[in-house]
Amino acid sequence: MAKIQWSIAATEALKADGLRIAELDTAGTPGFPGDKKAGQELLAERAEVLSSLQERLYANGRSGDSRNVLLVLQGMDTSGKGGIVRHVIGSVDPQGVDHAAFGVPTAQEKRHHYLWRIRKALPRGGQLGVFDRSHYEDVLVVRVHNLVPEAEWEPRYDEINAFERELVDAGTTLVKVAMFVSLGEQKKRLRERLDRPDKYWKFNPSDIDERAYWPAYQEAYQAMLDRTSTDYARWHVIPADHKWYARLAVTELLIEALIQLKLDWPPAKFDVEEQKRRLAES
Amino acid sequence: MAKIQWSIAATEALKADGLRIAELDTAGTPGFPGDKKAGQELLAERAEVLSSLQERLYANGRSGDSRNVLLVLQGMDTSGKGGIVRHVIGSVDPQGVDHAAFGVPTAQEKRHHYLWRIRKALPRGGQLGVFDRSHYEDVLVVRVHNLVPEAEWEPRYDEINAFERELVDAGTTLVKVAMFVSLGEQKKRLRERLDRPDKYWKFNPSDIDERAYWPAYQEAYQAMLDRTSTDYARWHVIPADHKWYARLAVTELLIEALIQLKLDWPPAKFDVEEQKRRLAES
């Protein structure tokens, strides 16, 4: 067993309530007192725990349980959302993952309510859903760039809370994660994409344009945390300058969420002894 | 580097052409001269190669390349299709995987042509698609149980060939894999599901009923191989009594298919030096 463990529950260490983003230490590792090596050692162990819990969730889903878990990932460019999918979600069985990424809405999506494409991508019972960006784009990029008037985006906070209430009532456990890197760390990561031909494809010139809107994004993220962290669907804030820490933290949040579901293996829906006899004769 | 490698290309070792299923040694390890330990050692290495090639496919997809790879998995109950998804597909980035499992058609699906649900689940450009069962169910279980009259399933072999020709022309590389275990190995695996409460959920009493149809399934699988292994979409036959071998074999088939695509990293669609200057000033 890894020598260094979380000092408090990740859910507690990362809670958004009362947090000011402007004051966040994006290089911090709240709740985990170890360094990178200790973090990676623990991650290897916890990835197996996550995989095992996810298998139970999947097994229950296959047996008709409609509960599921939905990881909502938000964060500025280069904050490491893709790395979470690859390295955290990558440790569980792909059969049990419902992954969706939300980019700029398509022409068709724009003709619908902003929650239309979100609802279509909701995870099935027993699945671990992953939203790489989400309905929160509609109060982030949309607010920052005035893509719709304030009178239109302002009511969305309440709408989103009502929408998530509905999901929770239907059996979804939401794990909402906002990842933050510093402006300097973002520059370093973008530079790496420009230095390495195997990373060009991840780069978009508009990523640089967006840097000029950093304060407006900070404000929009703060409003999002303040207004949509509810007792049934809390936000967690992840300092993400250290990729190893962000991955460890999201793994732990998912584990804590799955433990809350108190999942047993589904019972047999058949007479086990009778089936053993039938099998022996077959 | 692992000491024992494939002695010939997996595509060659596993080709279905001319093969008689009735004569297949399901405990064999064609093309790989090592034992379980050697196979697992090699798999650990090849999984990384697969992951790296898949990332290139994904990168090209993100840059507009419409090509993709579709793994079609067929096999009797307990032949290990789920294990392939978990242990082979599980080694690549979940963002790049489009997974679909095809069970008994729903009421809605039954009101459509049998290829309707298949077409809806086709992978996007740049994705590694996985079909856990597929359109081939419509010439396997459907044929064995006379779910439709022969006059209806008989033309499907040609229809499927035409359908796959269309996919290949549109940029899909099909990797078709039929997995076979022996009747005895299947009994052992079903028994394990009845012995372990954490496996009950995988068991269905109808799995035992199906065992009585083994010869009919052999015949249906043979017809499938004979009639739908085309030069543009070949079948590969995997002896699957050894799970480690089946996983090694499918990994290798996917690697060989990806290598055929000769994937480079997509070139920059912007002036790299100009973007470096802009970034420095941002």
Side-chain angles (χ1 to χ4, degrees), chain A residues 51 59 82 85-86 90 95 187 191 194-195 198 201 203 205 208-209 211 265 270 272 276 278-280 282, chain B residues 51 55 59 82 85-86 90 95 187 191 194-195 198 201 203 205 209 211 265 270 272 276 278-280 282:
Chain A
S51 174
V85 178
R86 179 163 199 145
Q95 292 171 94
K187 182 179 266 189
R191 175 71 198 212
L194 290 169
D195 284 336
D198 63 330
W201 65 277
F203 182 84
I208 297 178
D209 304 330
R211 285 170 61 77
W265 292 108
F270 44 82
V272 175
K276 283 182 185 171
R278 290 185 64 223
L279 177 63
S282 75
Chain B
S51 175
E55 193 186 358
V85 179
R86 179 162 198 144
Q95 292 170 92
K187 183 179 266 190
R191 176 69 197 212
L194 290 169
D195 284 336
D198 62 330
W201 66 277
F203 182 85
D209 304 330
R211 286 169 61 77
W265 292 109
F270 44 82
V272 175
K276 283 183 184 171
R278 290 185 65 223
L279 177 63
S282 75

Side-chain angles (χ1 to χ4, degrees), chain A residues 102-122:
Chain A
F102 297 97
V104 177
T106 63
Q108 189 196 24
E109 285 168 353
K110 280 183 189 153
R111 299 184 63 194
H112 286 277
H113 188 271
Y114 68 98
L115 291 176
W116 178 76
R117 62 176 184 165
I118 304 294
R119 287 184 187 275
K120 281 208 306 173
L122 290 170

Side-chain angles (χ1 to χ4, degrees), chain B residues 13-184:
Chain B
L14 299 164
K15 66 180 179 193
D17 310 47
L19 183 138
R20 310 311 305 160
I21 299 171
E23 294 157 19
L24 181 71
D25 175 11
T26 56
T29 63
F32 184 72
D35 62 4
K36 179 174 180 175
K37 188 159 167 289
Q40 288 175 330
E41 196 185 329
L42 182 57
L43 180 58
E45 278 180 20
R46 301 304 281 170
E48 289 194 29
V49 173
L50 175 60
S51 175
S52 163
L53 286 164
Q54 175 274 330
E55 193 186 358
R56 286 190 187 215
L57 179 68
Y58 181 73
N60 280 280
R62 287 289 294 270
S63 302
D65 192 333
S66 63
R67 290 179 298 169
N68 56 25
V69 172
L70 175 56
L71 174 67
V72 174
L73 292 171
Q74 284 294 156
M76 304 282 286
D77 293 323
T78 78
S79 61
K81 299 182 296 296
I84 294 294
V85 179
R86 179 162 198 144
H87 297 280
V88 175
I89 304 305
S91 66
V92 312
D93 189 340
Q95 292 170 92
V97 174
D98 282 347
H99 173 271
F102 298 96
V104 177
T106 63
Q108 189 196 22
E109 286 168 354
K110 280 183 188 153
R111 300 184 63 194
H112 287 277
H113 187 270
Y114 68 99
L115 291 176
W116 178 76
R117 62 176 184 165
I118 305 293
R119 287 184 186 276
K120 281 208 307 172
L122 289 171
R124 296 163 286 177
Q127 298 291 107
L128 173 53
V130 182
F131 281 180
D132 182 346
R133 304 186 189 268
S134 66
H135 41 298
Y136 286 102
E137 290 296 310
D138 294 287
V139 289
L140 292 169
V141 63
V142 166
R143 171 174 166 153
V144 167
H145 289 290
N146 302 305
L147 301 182
V148 302
E150 181 169 353
E152 202 168 319
W153 57 252
E154 172 59 36
R156 288 183 179 172
Y157 297 99
D158 292 339
E159 280 169 20
I160 286 173
N161 287 337
F163 168 60
E164 293 185 352
R165 173 84 253 175
E166 176 193 320
L167 298 188
V168 170
D169 288 346
T172 296
T173 298
L174 281 155
V175 179
K176 301 194 294 189
V177 165
M179 300 171 71
F180 294 96
V181 288
S182 69
L183 196 55

